[in-house]
Amino acid sequence: MHLQTLPWIILFLPLLAAVVITLFTQRDRKTSATLSISAIVIGFVLTVIFIKANSFNPEVKEVSLNWLDIGPLQAEFGLRLDALSLMMLLVVTGVGSAIHIYSWGYMHEDRCFSRFFASLSLFTFSMLGIVMANNFLQMFISWELVGVSSYLLIGFWYEKASAADAAKKAFITNRLGDFGFMLGILIVWAALGSLNFGKLEAGLADNPAALGSLATLGGLLVFCGAMGKSAQFPLHVWLPDAMEGPTPVSALIHAATMVAAGVYMLSRTFFIYTPEALQVIAWIGGCTALLAALVAVQQNDIKRILAYSTLSQLGYMVMAVGLAAPEAGMFHLTTHAFFKALLFLGAGSVIHAMHHEQDIWRMGGLCKKMPVTYWTFMVGTMALAGVWPLSGFFSKDAILAAAWHHSMPLFIIGVGVAALTTFYMFRLVFVAFLGGERSHEVGHAHESPWVMTWPLRILAVFSIVGGVIGVEALFGGMLHPGGEHPHGLAAQLVYPFKHAPVAALSGLAAFGIGLFAAWTLYARAKEDPLPARIGTLSRWMRDRFYFDELYEATVIKVHDATAAVVDWFDRWLIGFAAVRGSAGATSLFGNVLRFIQSGSLQAYAFLLVLGVAVILFFVLGR
Amino acid sequence: MNVLILKHEITLLLLALGVMLADLWLPPERKRGLGYLASAGVGAILICSLLTSVPESPFAFRQMYVLDGMALFFKRFFLVATILVLLMAVEFSDRIQAGISEYYSLILFASAGMMFAASANDFALLFVALELITVTFYVLVSFQRGRATSLEAGVKYLIIGALSSAFMVFGIAFIFGTSGSFNFGDIAAKLASPEAGLVNNKLFLFGLLFLLVGLGFKIAAVPFQIWAPDVYQGAPTPTTAFLAVGSKAAGMVLLMRVLFVAVPEVTAQWWKLLVVISALTILYGNLCALPQTNIKRLLGYSSISHAGYLLLGIAAATTAGQSAVLYYLSGYLFTVLAAFVVIVLVLRDTGAEEISSLAGLHQRSPLLAAAMTISMVSLAGIPPLAGFFGKLLLIKSALVVGAEHQSFYWLVGIAVVGVVISLAYYLGVVRAIYWGGEAAEKSAVTLSLPATLTVAACLVGILFIGIYPNPLMKAAEAAVLSFK
């Protein structure tokens, strides 16, 4: 491998930036932002250089050093550099750079500008840690660090109660998944004696039965981690609330990168899942996709619509992994990172212009006021809806094709979700950007500054071409060797229609139906016509199928009851009996010792000699 | 014989003499800065020692002196400790009325004693090295002649120290009388041969126990710990720091050499004694630390408990246990010195040494508050700091032995209980800093650049050893393997 040190620099630059900002440049806003932005931009440039020098397939795929070895536990600290991680590295640093730059404009008036950039850099470091980790332990540590930085960023405006609560909710929900993840890692380690991905894969290839009867359970426990981070049903509840964070954070963490970490982890560890485990994973992904898409139809907050859309797309990706097509999942992850970051940043631009108004029914007619935002948002919407030849079409088609080959019910769900996606996205566009002005804030709205619009333009370009620049072949070559993968622009453009025409045509039909429905219902609507038409269902959708209420009534009640019991034990048995009791005993002991430790020299000398005598008696006297 | 094998000790002694002589010519206001010079000199010796490797024939003076991996490890350890203590002494110099240059040079002499102790391969050199350390410490402890507490501590240290030295020299006489040799290697050879019958010779064992009294005094293990709290509290803070780190480590290296090089057969018989002493030391130190209100006294008791943890690794008597001891001591070096540096810097004006006087430190100096917190948390043994890995390695080595001797499980249980107790008083210090109510003194603590660097060096040490433990673990293992 050439330029071995580059990955280390890429990894540690953001950490360095975070440390320097926290310790030294808190007061200097400009320097802090510059440090943070340059750390990630340099990371992006270095990634490109590294890939130029080594291609996507370096001959040596790992660099590592021995972190600690205690007996049988060998923990290494290493980087794994193959097509999967290098592509992901490009996405994280590339999209991350755009969002970092955008944040400069968006957060400019915030009091805690430096703290924001420090947290953002800490996040980047942790995310890169997940991407490049070559073993489970290191991935888990980065995984937790990502959780922490996500907590810090969701709760960035901690003086707002809703933001503080959302941060807590995200952190605690993720803990649930992470606990399973940790158990899964322990099972894998106990059975195979190693945590290194390469060694695990080789070990399982040699002896597929090495995990024994725990294979399915272990795989599902590891999947629990992905369920938490990628917000899969039933741990999906934290992601919509996480939109309380600043919009660039929603774009970077809760759309493009962190939530995708679960899918990335599934692809990285694809070799440990048994067919039964994959089945469960596929269905959980499919259910999440459907549920979230339904909920998105009846949301009115622009960021919440996008949040549920993210959930739904994550469901697609997880479903793809479950359908034994991780390359399709990763492909969709990559294109989704472009267009969803674009959509969030576009939403941020709108929110910025509207003075923090997020209700789409108070917008309208923004297309004339904010042309750049409108057109780029439109590109993002079309990409998400899967319009040929935009990027989303190709990646979604890959997933639908996988479903077509493996499971009919999931294929139907997939197509249905595609129709719903088009419907809710165009509902958003029609209501917020077209039509008449719905409030006087729209009159004052104006286009955002260039630091915010240029990232939009760049992301829009990638949202358009992302499907045909060879991403699919790259992932396919690594994760699904032996399959046929299109090369060349023309071949890629027509590949879906040749490979699985039913899937491709169904996808396009779903787009048509969704667009038609949205046009009929919302093109000239003054208020939402759906509640009147479908009644109860609409209320269920709007209230997110009452999952929060359900958890409130069950999980949280049980938790509170347990906590009350534990509190009683702590207060009375531990606090009163044990601590007070032992404190009494200790102070008694202390008083006795005070008598010994009198400060009197004769007593000290006497005690020393007494000690010698006792020892002599015990060792030699008997 | 190669005299150059002693180059570290010789240069250190020359440096000490140089500092003393410089005192004659330097104007009074510049004497304070002599400490920087001295620590720079020690730094140069440290670099030299890092470049030195174990020579082919490591012995000198008819095998009295040995320069093996273990000796080299501890020499580097003592040099690092000396540098940090000297820097601390410079910050402390305004509280020493007269003779700051002597204070510096006494630290250097004590350090030379420790360096000899690291290389002792003979009971005569062991005694001489220990006395060099102890005698200089008599003076160092009572150096604040204006303070009654300092003088009182000095007298206590002198008398108890003399008593234990008497035991030790008596013990050495018995050892020589029964074995006919001072040399560790010779004695080991005699012990190994059954016809000499030394293993069961009660007079020999009697002598050995008396020798252990002297070493037990140095490391402050129960029942020879009684002096520690009073002396730690009364002595000038840099002296206390050096006592806690250097003097204890010198005791440990000698203990390891005697037990594992000179009399391994006896050690194998005496594991029960070591287990009991270790358990008692852990419990005594931790329980007595609980009600303390004086920070230096608290650290005195805490140092007793740490001697107990270290003995746990010695009792295990395995390579893993011994390298854990080395690892633990290295972490302890940075951790304890960080705490003492903070004490020197913060309690400069108030003169009080109560824990409550640390209240509001996070507003007066966030760096020092963070340093004290990290130090306390590391002493308590919380990951990812140096103290955690040390305890982990020690406990793990004891657990491995537990398969053979069940009582080690009990010892580990007691060690864990000790850790839990210790959390209460270590975190009590942290609580006093951040939630201790209104600070009596509100002005920001001014830090000189060298002081900041000293604190930073300690913090980097604690964090590096804790986060990336492998290099030190490997070095400790190599050192232990070298003296077999």
Side-chain angles (χ1 to χ4, degrees):
Chain A
M1 193 181 337
H2 306 287
L3 303 171
Q4 298 216 353
T5 46
L6 282 193
W8 297 101
I9 300 176
I10 298 169
L11 175 62
F12 283 105
L13 264 183
L15 179 66
L16 187 71
V19 171
V20 170
I21 294 173
T22 314
L23 291 182
F24 302 111
T25 65
Q26 279 282 4
R27 304 229 167 90
D28 188 346
R29 302 158 59 95
K30 214 165 180 176
T31 317
S32 304
T34 316
L35 277 172
S36 174
I37 292 173
S38 27
I40 192 163
V41 173
I42 294 174
F44 177 65
V45 173
L46 293 182
T47 309
V48 173
I49 295 175
F50 184 80
I51 292 170
K52 273 264 172 286
N54 291 291
S55 83
F56 275 100
N57 265 317
E59 302 103 60
V60 188
K61 290 195 167 51
E62 284 192 31
V63 277
S64 70
L65 48 91
N66 214 347
W67 182 30
L68 59 115
D69 51 318
I70 314 173
L73 174 65
Q74 302 270 340
E76 52 182 345
F77 188 87
L79 308 180
R80 190 174 172 84
L81 300 155
D82 50 18
L84 186 61
S85 59
L86 286 174
M87 190 63 217
M88 194 70 186
L89 206 57
L90 270 184
V91 171
V92 173
T93 53
V95 176
S97 297
I99 294 173
H100 271 67
I101 295 168
Y102 175 94
S103 304
W104 181 307
Y106 190 84
M107 300 298 290
H108 203 69
E109 279 136 42
D110 201 274
R111 209 161 39 85
C112 303
F113 198 60
S114 301
R115 179 162 62 88
F116 179 79
F117 275 103
S119 317
L120 219 51
S121 281
L122 178 67
F123 166 77
T124 310
F125 162 72
S126 326
M127 188 67 209
L128 293 175
I130 293 184
V131 172
M132 292 199 266
N134 75 338
N135 64 76
F136 262 124
L137 180 67
Q138 195 184 334
M139 183 182 253
F140 186 74
I141 293 173
S142 305
W143 194 263
E144 295 298 308
L145 278 174
V146 160
V148 173
S149 36
S150 159
Y151 170 81
L152 292 175
L153 285 164
I154 298 173
F156 180 71
W157 288 313
Y158 56 84
E159 61 278 6
K160 244 181 23 187
S162 57
D165 286 346
K168 258 188 290 183
K169 188 171 175 183
F171 194 73
I172 293 170
T173 315
N174 266 302
R175 305 293 320 143
L176 282 178
D178 293 352
F179 184 63
F181 190 20
M182 191 162 77
L183 290 181
I185 293 177
L186 287 175
I187 287 182
V188 170
W189 182 61
L192 299 172
S194 172
L195 290 174
N196 182 292
F197 295 133
K199 284 184 194 143
L200 287 176
E201 188 167 10
L204 276 176
D206 283 351
N207 176 13
L211 276 168
S213 54
L214 289 173
T216 305
L217 179 68
L220 285 178
L221 283 170
V222 171
F223 172 61
C224 274
M227 241 155 82
K229 266 285 138 2
S230 287
Q232 294 299 297
F233 171 80
L235 295 181
H236 63 282
V237 288
W238 66 270
L239 184 60
D241 288 18
M243 298 303 137
E244 290 293 340
T247 307
V249 169
S250 309
L252 177 62
I253 301 188
H254 305 117
T257 56
M258 180 185 99
V259 289
V263 179
Y264 174 79
M265 188 265 275
L266 290 179
S267 311
R268 175 58 83 206
T269 59
F270 187 69
F271 51 87
I272 64 170
Y273 304 104
T274 56
E276 293 81 25
L278 286 178
Q279 188 121 28
V280 175
I281 293 174
W283 274 99
I284 286 187
C287 290
T288 311
L290 183 61
L291 269 177
L294 284 173
V295 174
V297 167
Q298 278 297 291
Q299 299 300 310
N300 295 326
D301 179 319
I302 185 168
K303 278 178 76 180
R304 282 198 174 245
I305 299 176
L306 293 178
Y308 279 101
S309 149
T310 306
L311 271 182
S312 167
Q313 302 302 311
L314 287 168
Y316 263 137
M317 298 174 209
V318 170
M319 185 173 97
V321 177
L323 292 168
E327 70 281 0
M330 284 307 294
F331 184 24
H332 196 53
L333 186 159
T334 312
T335 57
H336 176 259
F338 294 131
F339 58 70
K340 192 49 73 64
L342 169 63
L343 287 171
F344 264 106
L345 295 187
S349 175
V350 170
I351 295 168
H352 192 67
M354 296 286 294
H355 299 286
H356 294 271
E357 177 56 64
Q358 304 194 4
D359 188 343
I360 53 171
W361 292 98
R362 296 180 57 79
M363 298 173 184
L366 283 170
C367 61
K368 290 181 227 59
K369 301 276 183 188
M370 311 177 71
V372 180
T373 305
Y374 170 65
W375 282 111
T376 49
F377 200 90
M378 200 62 199
V379 168
T381 305
M382 308 247 275
L384 173 57
V387 178
W388 186 87
L390 272 62
S391 59
F393 169 77
F394 295 95
S395 54
K396 192 181 286 183
D397 176 73
I399 296 174
L400 290 180
W404 174 252
H405 288 309
H406 285 89
S407 158
M408 208 41 181
L410 283 173
F411 175 73
I412 294 169
I413 290 181
V415 175
V417 171
L420 284 170
T421 308
T422 314
F423 178 70
Y424 65 69
M425 279 315 293
F426 277 94
R427 168 179 178 261
L428 165 59
V429 170
F430 290 147
V431 174
F433 286 96
L434 303 177
E437 296 177 8
R438 290 193 169 82
S439 69
H440 67 272
E441 274 103 340
V442 180
H444 303 299
H446 52 81
E447 188 57 273
S448 300
W450 65 268
V451 272
M452 290 169 70
T453 53
W454 271 103
L456 292 179
R457 290 185 174 115
I458 293 166
L459 286 170
V461 170
F462 279 100
S463 303
I464 294 171
V465 302
V468 289
I469 48 176
V471 178
E472 188 178 17
L474 192 63
F475 286 133
M478 178 179 159
L479 293 166
H480 196 252
E484 48 152 342
H485 306 289
H487 290 277
L489 182 60
Q492 288 187 64
L493 279 172
V494 297
Y495 174 73
F497 301 100
K498 279 165 58 186
H499 172 64
V502 184
L505 295 175
S506 316
L508 286 178
F511 168 72
I513 295 169
L515 181 61
F516 175 74
W519 175 261
T520 358
L521 285 171
Y522 290 101
R524 275 168 225 87
K526 288 275 169 291
E527 57 185 19
D528 202 337
L530 263 193
R533 296 209 183 177
I534 53 173
T536 323
L537 180 59
S538 142
R539 209 170 56 243
W540 277 66
M541 288 171 171
R542 193 193 62 212
D543 292 338
R544 308 173 292 274
F545 292 101
Y546 298 102
F547 271 107
D548 283 321
E549 286 75 7
L550 178 71
Y551 289 169
E552 194 85 36
T554 54
V555 180
I556 297 183
K557 276 272 156 56
V558 171
H559 172 265
D560 285 353
T562 322
V565 172
V566 171
D567 178 63
W568 187 86
F569 266 91
D570 183 47
R571 205 174 289 269
W572 296 106
L573 287 187
I574 297 178
F576 188 76
V579 175
R580 292 276 178 79
S582 63
T586 314
S587 67
L588 197 73
F589 190 72
N591 283 330
V592 173
L593 289 173
R594 193 162 298 156
F595 171 70
I596 294 174
Q597 205 92 45
S598 59
S600 148
L601 197 50
Q602 287 91 329
Y604 283 9
F606 172 71
L607 283 170
L608 191 127
V609 176
L610 188 68
V612 176
V614 169
I615 289 181
L616 278 181
F617 174 74
F618 274 107
V619 178
L620 298 177
R622 291 184 303 167
Chain B
M1 190 197 69
N2 187 358
V3 180
L4 272 183
I5 208 168
L6 277 89
K7 58 180 182 271
H8 303 117
E9 287 85 351
I10 293 173
T11 34
L12 195 59
L13 287 172
L14 286 177
L15 182 66
L17 291 172
V19 169
M20 271 184 120
L21 282 177
D23 182 57
L24 295 177
W25 290 289
L26 274 181
E29 68 277 5
R30 310 235 333 245
K31 282 179 186 165
R32 179 172 182 272
L34 210 51
Y36 295 134
L37 200 69
S39 59
V42 180
I45 300 174
L46 175 65
I47 291 169
C48 165
S49 82
L50 288 174
L51 298 175
T52 309
S53 54
V54 177
E56 267 173 47
S57 65
F59 295 105
F61 298 113
R62 288 200 279 156
Q63 306 213 344
M64 264 180 127
Y65 179 100
V66 62
L67 187 70
D68 54 7
M70 185 67 125
L72 214 51
F73 183 94
F74 270 96
K75 281 187 210 295
R76 290 165 190 163
F77 177 96
F78 293 130
L79 289 169
V80 172
T82 311
I83 294 173
L84 293 172
V85 169
L86 279 170
L87 291 171
M88 205 188 296
V90 177
E91 296 302 320
F92 193 78
S93 58
D94 47 353
R95 275 157 283 179
I96 288 176
Q97 288 88 345
I100 185 66
S101 324
E102 279 115 62
Y103 193 71
Y104 296 147
S105 60
L106 280 170
I107 290 175
L108 292 173
F109 280 125
S111 171
M114 293 166 192
M115 307 267 283
F116 276 116
S119 286
N121 193 39
D122 172 299
F123 281 109
L125 183 59
L126 173 147
F127 184 72
V128 172
L130 268 190
E131 286 309 290
L132 179 52
I133 301 171
T134 315
V135 172
T136 38
F137 265 110
Y138 295 151
V139 187
L140 283 171
V141 168
S142 49
F143 213 84
Q144 280 177 300
R145 271 156 274 174
R147 273 178 65 210
T149 48
S150 176
L151 288 177
E152 188 192 330
V155 171
K156 275 180 186 157
Y157 192 61
L158 173 67
I159 300 210
I160 307 282
L163 188 63
S164 68
S165 289
F167 273 113
M168 189 162 63
V169 78
F170 195 51
I172 292 175
F174 271 91
I175 292 171
F176 183 68
T178 46
S179 69
S181 172
F182 277 135
N183 189 280
F184 292 172
D186 292 352
I187 292 173
K190 284 226 172 66
L191 266 176
S193 67
E195 62 266 24
L198 216 48
V199 187
N200 297 316
N201 186 336
K202 288 227 165 166
L203 286 179
F204 177 74
L205 298 181
F206 178 81
L208 203 56
L209 272 179
F210 269 25
L211 176 89
L212 293 186
V213 173
L215 295 178
F217 163 80
K218 287 261 85 160
I219 64 170
V222 169
F224 320 111
Q225 85 299 349
I226 199 95
W227 57 277
D230 290 12
V231 174
Y232 273 57
Q233 185 181 356
T237 311
T239 308
T240 312
F242 208 28
L243 207 53
V245 174
S247 178
K248 190 182 293 278
M252 287 310 293
V253 63
L254 287 172
L255 194 62
M256 286 167 78
R257 268 202 203 279
V258 170
L259 289 181
F260 301 121
V261 177
V263 294
E265 280 83 0
V266 181
T267 313
Q269 284 178 13
W270 279 359
W271 63 270
K272 261 186 193 150
L273 174 71
L274 291 168
V275 166
V276 171
I277 290 186
S278 165
L280 288 178
T281 312
I282 291 173
L283 282 180
Y284 184 91
N286 282 320
L287 283 174
C288 291
L290 267 179
Q292 299 307 324
T293 55
N294 180 298
I295 180 81
K296 274 164 77 181
R297 200 171 175 83
L298 180 115
L299 286 171
Y301 281 115
S302 127
S303 97
I304 295 176
S305 72
H306 288 289
Y309 295 126
L310 288 165
L311 282 173
L312 197 146
I314 302 238
T318 55
T319 313
Q322 293 160 25
S323 58
V325 168
L326 265 58
Y327 185 93
Y328 195 88
L329 271 173
S330 314
Y332 185 69
L333 163 85
F334 291 108
T335 312
V336 162
L337 289 182
F340 279 112
V341 172
V342 175
I343 294 174
V344 166
L345 293 170
V346 176
L347 305 179
R348 169 174 300 179
D349 321 309
T350 51
E353 284 164 354
E354 297 303 301
I355 295 172
S356 55
S357 57
L358 291 171
L361 181 61
H362 64 296
Q363 282 163 350
R364 299 178 57 202
S365 170
L367 174 69
L368 292 185
M372 195 66 173
T373 306
I374 288 179
S375 162
M376 288 299 130
V377 171
S378 171
L379 280 176
I382 292 173
L385 302 170
F388 165 73
F389 253 97
K391 284 206 176 71
L392 179 74
L393 294 174
L394 282 172
I395 286 178
K396 192 171 164 294
S397 71
L399 280 179
V400 171
V401 183
E404 205 177 320
H405 303 302
Q406 301 287 313
S407 9
F408 274 89
Y409 290 136
W410 284 100
L411 179 56
V412 168
I414 287 174
V416 172
V417 169
V419 170
V420 173
I421 298 175
S422 74
L423 281 173
Y425 61 86
Y426 287 130
L427 296 183
V429 177
V430 176
R431 188 181 57 200
I433 293 176
Y434 290 92
W435 299 279
E438 278 301 290
E441 171 75 50
K442 289 223 172 80
S443 58
V445 181
T446 46
L447 292 180
S448 67
L449 182 65
T452 315
L453 289 179
T454 315
V455 175
C458 292
L459 287 183
V460 168
I462 298 173
L463 287 170
F464 182 80
I465 293 177
I467 291 175
Y468 188 26
N470 223 37
L472 182 60
M473 268 162 62
K474 290 278 164 284
E477 227 164 84
V480 169
L481 288 175
S482 83
F483 87 174
K484 281 290 151 66

